[in-house]
Amino acid sequence: MEKEKKKVVSIITLRLEIYSINMKKQYGKKWKSKNRWKVVIVWKIKKIKRKKPLLYLHYGCKVNQYETNAMAQKFIENGYDVVETEEMADVYIINTCTVTNMADRKSRQMLRRVKQINPNSIVVATGCYAQVAKDELQKIENIDLVLGINEKNDIVDYVNKFLSNKTKKMEISDVLHQVEFLDFGTVTHTEKTRMVIKIQDGCDRFCSYCIIPYARGRVRSRMPENIIEEISHVAKEGIKEVVITGIHIASYGKDFKNNYKLIDLLEEVNKIDGIKRIRLGSLEPTLITEEFVNRLSKLDKVCDHFHLSLQSGCNQTLERMNRKYSVEEFEKEVELLRKYYPNVALTTDIIVGFPDETEEEFTQTYEYLNKIDFYKMHIFKYSPRKGTKAAIMKNQIPGNIKEERSRKLIELSDKKQKEHNEKYIGKNLEVLFEEKEGEYYKGHTTNYIVVKKKTDEQLENVIKSVHIIDENNLELIGE
């Protein structure tokens, strides 16, 4: 008992040192050291009594975020303490990402690092990288369990079995032929003021650069009644905004036999009491039709921010990417959204340095993006993914050229964002506040513009009209 007590206290002290540093950053001189020790006493009394190991979960994309919430909820229901600071964990669940080489590298680094922090900890790798790169993960001795996408549903059982027998295990089921959506049940756990809601899994598009269809399998849609039930639950718990997400939400309902589609689901979600905002995750441009936008615009809770994944502003590049639209078609879809939503904010993803992208093709992309006038662009340097068609294409672009093209588009994106932001100075905007940063509360408008307001009020999860007085560092300042 004495050894357990010392271990817990040691971990708590490390946690509180980090907590104290964060408080000093937030409150400055107002955060006195005596406050820190008051908290230490409370934590010592509370945590010495715990019987289950602590747990740290790491996530990447919004789908991973939802699944992390679901796993955390399962662990909490089974007596585990879920913590945010990785330094104090005894069990590490690393929910990996594999969308780029950088994501792979970060996943491997995290898996190695946590064992160095706590050599006696249990390290579990799950998620997309674990699904497609088991051979790579076998080389990392620090990992105790490697679990695939489907195994997340039973992760507590896998961890508890390991705690009993200390036997390392790799369990990865085939998702490529899976036809049924594996539902976590009603997930209500979240650390944020908005709730991510997963409505489908998988993708059938097979873009030439993308590994995700191999990691996630074919399109599988979640039953609408389960989605409605989950959102109704979180609404009762005070959540005002939900983010509808999935691997390819435009394909929602494709596997149903009754022609029930994404717009049908959104019309039902819009009726749920308590929900004030419905935000959509990344959309396939081909979803944007006159009928879809006309019906969507009649739903008063749907936010006027849309993320359309363009990837390139050059038709030749889009064709090599196996994207299913032209730049001309994309422009018409943008015009449709701006017709129905006067203050719409449009964001996008762009890949630079795709194989065989000439200087002329990049210039076409640059000029096209300048014309479309996105609010913000997320720029990615092309990253070859083993097993994809693009990885074996000729004329791979050197890293220095990718870097230069990326820099130019990031500069263009920042310029556009600042110009859009400045249009709101002097106007009143409704903001859903989420968190405090120093003396400011920070939140988002319906069209996903960041607004900060200096105040002593408690504004977390509050929607409030804010008068915009300035723009600073791509954020709006209100009063």
Side-chain angles (χ1 to χ4, degrees):
M1 179 63 188
E2 186 62 25
K3 287 185 180 179
E4 182 184 352
K5 183 175 179 179
K6 286 182 179 177
K7 180 182 179 185
V8 175
V9 173
S10 174
I11 293 171
I12 291 166
T13 303
L14 179 56
R15 160 77 175 191
L16 264 292
E17 289 292 349
I18 294 163
Y19 180 81
S20 184
I21 291 168
N22 289 338
M23 290 299 100
K24 284 178 181 176
K25 286 180 181 178
Q26 184 165 331
Y27 294 107
K29 293 180 180 178
K30 293 181 181 179
W31 177 253
K32 304 293 184 183
S33 59
K34 63 181 180 181
N35 295 335
R36 174 184 175 272
W37 294 114
K38 285 179 184 176
V39 181
V40 169
I41 293 168
V42 174
W43 274 71
K44 282 184 178 180
I45 294 169
K46 180 181 177 184
K47 295 296 182 179
I48 286 170
K49 296 178 180 178
R50 70 177 176 83
K51 295 181 180 179
K52 288 285 189 178
L54 300 172
L55 173 75
Y56 176 75
L57 300 124
H58 178 79
Y59 54 79
C61 70
K62 282 186 169 58
V63 172
N64 260 11
Q65 183 179 331
Y66 174 87
E67 292 172 351
T68 294
N69 288 340
M71 289 187 287
Q73 183 170 306
K74 286 179 180 290
F75 276 104
I76 290 168
E77 289 168 352
N78 282 271
Y80 283 76
D81 251 337
V82 177
V83 298
E84 296 178 17
T85 307
E86 64 195 52
E87 283 83 357
M88 65 180 287
D90 297 323
V91 179
Y92 293 93
I93 310 296
I94 311 301
N95 200 1
T96 62
C97 177
T98 191
V99 71
T100 63
N101 281 336
M102 179 66 75
D104 289 355
R105 187 158 61 250
K106 286 182 178 179
S107 295
R108 291 193 298 269
Q109 288 172 348
M110 177 70 79
L111 287 161
R112 290 189 174 98
R113 181 155 59 94
V114 292
K115 203 71 166 185
Q116 293 171 356
I117 294 167
N118 183 359
N120 297 318
S121 64
I122 300 167
V123 178
V124 184
T126 187
C128 291
Y129 184 56
Q131 183 71 33
V132 299
K134 62 180 181 181
D135 293 340
E136 291 294 320
L137 293 180
Q138 280 179 329
K139 299 173 186 176
I140 303 176
E141 296 180 3
N142 297 341
I143 303 174
D144 299 302
L145 294 171
V146 179
L147 305 175
I149 296 295
N150 288 341
E151 285 66 37
K152 290 181 183 182
N153 286 53
D154 300 314
I155 194 164
V156 177
D157 292 337
Y158 283 107
V159 170
N160 285 341
K161 285 177 184 176
F162 182 85
L163 286 169
S164 299
N165 57 35
K166 305 297 181 186
T167 303
K168 292 192 174 186
K169 188 177 183 66
M170 179 175 286
E171 193 75 35
I172 301 172
S173 57
D174 179 21
V175 296
L176 289 177
H177 300 98
Q178 187 175 330
V179 295
E180 183 180 339
F181 181 91
L182 285 185
D183 205 317
F184 278 99
T186 298
V187 178
T188 58
H189 175 81
T190 181
E191 299 294 335
K192 300 180 181 293
T193 55
R194 70 168 64 92
M195 187 76 185
V196 176
I197 305 292
K198 181 183 172 186
I199 67 166
Q200 66 85 227
D201 210 335
C203 180
D204 298 343
R205 309 302 281 183
F206 289 94
C207 299
S208 64
Y209 53 82
C210 188
I211 194 68
I212 298 304
Y214 303 96
R216 287 283 178 169
R218 297 281 183 170
V219 169
R220 306 177 303 283
S221 303
R222 188 180 182 188
M223 296 303 292
E225 55 267 30
N226 294 347
I227 299 169
I228 299 302
E229 181 183 358
E230 183 169 89
I231 297 176
S232 298
H233 270 283
V234 300
K236 290 174 183 175
E237 295 194 3
I239 294 291
K240 293 184 174 69
E241 179 177 317
V242 291
V243 182
I244 305 300
T245 194
I247 299 300
H248 194 263
I249 64 173
S251 294
Y252 179 79
K254 177 183 177 181
D255 50 329
F256 292 156
K257 295 180 180 179
N258 60 357
N259 204 34
Y260 188 93
K261 299 189 181 301
L262 176 63
I263 188 63
D264 301 300
L265 174 66
L266 294 175
E267 286 172 342
E268 289 194 59
V269 174
N270 197 71
K271 299 173 185 175
I272 298 175
D273 291 337
I275 296 300
K276 304 298 182 184
R277 293 181 175 184
I278 303 167
R279 198 173 294 283
L280 300 182
S282 182
L283 296 175
E284 178 75 14
T286 54
L287 176 71
I288 309 301
T289 63
E290 183 85 42
E291 180 192 359
F292 176 82
V293 181
N294 183 34
R295 288 174 66 179
L296 192 72
S297 65
K298 294 173 183 175
L299 307 181
D300 61 314
K301 297 178 182 179
V302 171
C303 292
D304 49 351
H305 162 243
F306 301 99
H307 187 85
L308 305 179
S309 195
L310 173 61
Q311 305 300 357
S312 175
C314 170
N315 282 334
Q316 289 82 2
T317 308
L318 288 173
E319 187 174 350
R320 292 197 301 279
M321 289 178 168
N322 195 34
R323 301 294 285 176
K324 305 295 194 294
Y325 51 83
S326 67
V327 294
E328 292 80 14
E329 289 168 333
F330 187 93
E331 189 169 354
K332 289 178 181 177
E333 290 150 9
V334 167
E335 289 170 356
L336 257 181
L337 288 170
R338 286 179 171 152
K339 170 184 169 183
Y340 284 92
Y341 294 93
N343 296 314
V344 69
L346 299 175
T347 55
T348 195
D349 297 323
I350 299 294
I351 296 173
V352 296
F354 190 77
D356 210 22
E357 182 186 58
T358 64
E359 196 60 41
E360 182 183 356
E361 288 180 346
F362 172 73
T363 300
Q364 285 181 34
T365 291
Y366 185 96
E367 291 174 351
Y368 182 79
L369 296 175
N370 191 38
K371 179 176 70 169
I372 292 296
D373 196 27
F374 288 103
Y375 173 71
K376 184 176 181 178
M377 297 174 282
H378 301 273
I379 311 302
F380 299 90
K381 296 184 284 289
Y382 169 71
S383 176
R385 314 304 294 123
K386 184 180 178 181
T388 63
K389 290 184 178 180
I392 57 173
M393 287 181 178
K394 295 179 180 178
N395 300 325
Q396 298 284 329
I397 307 300
N400 62 319
I401 295 177
K402 293 180 191 177
E403 191 68 41
E404 178 61 16
R405 291 175 182 176
S406 173
R407 182 190 63 79
K408 288 180 179 178
L409 291 190
I410 290 172
E411 286 179 358
L412 177 63
S413 178
D414 289 348
K415 176 175 173 286
K416 293 290 185 183
Q417 191 172 357
K418 184 176 177 63
E419 288 172 354
H420 279 283
N421 282 352
E422 288 174 345
K423 295 175 185 176
Y424 291 100
I425 295 175
K427 296 182 179 180
N428 294 326
L429 300 177
E430 278 206 343
V431 180
L432 173 54
F433 287 99
E434 297 148 27
E435 60 184 348
K436 187 124 190 228
E437 286 189 355
E439 297 179 298
Y440 288 85
Y441 256 103
K442 191 174 183 177
H444 288 84
T445 61
T446 55
N447 53 359
Y448 212 56
I449 298 173
V450 176
V451 176
K452 294 169 72 173
K453 180 183 178 180
K454 191 174 182 179
T455 180
D456 293 327
E457 292 180 84
Q458 168 55 254
L459 292 180
E460 185 175 333
N461 202 31
V462 172
I463 297 176
K464 196 175 183 70
S465 179
V466 177
H467 183 69
I468 305 302
I469 58 173
D470 199 5
E471 195 275 350
N472 181 51
N473 197 27
L474 303 180
E475 297 175 336
L476 293 179
I477 309 299
E479 63 177 11

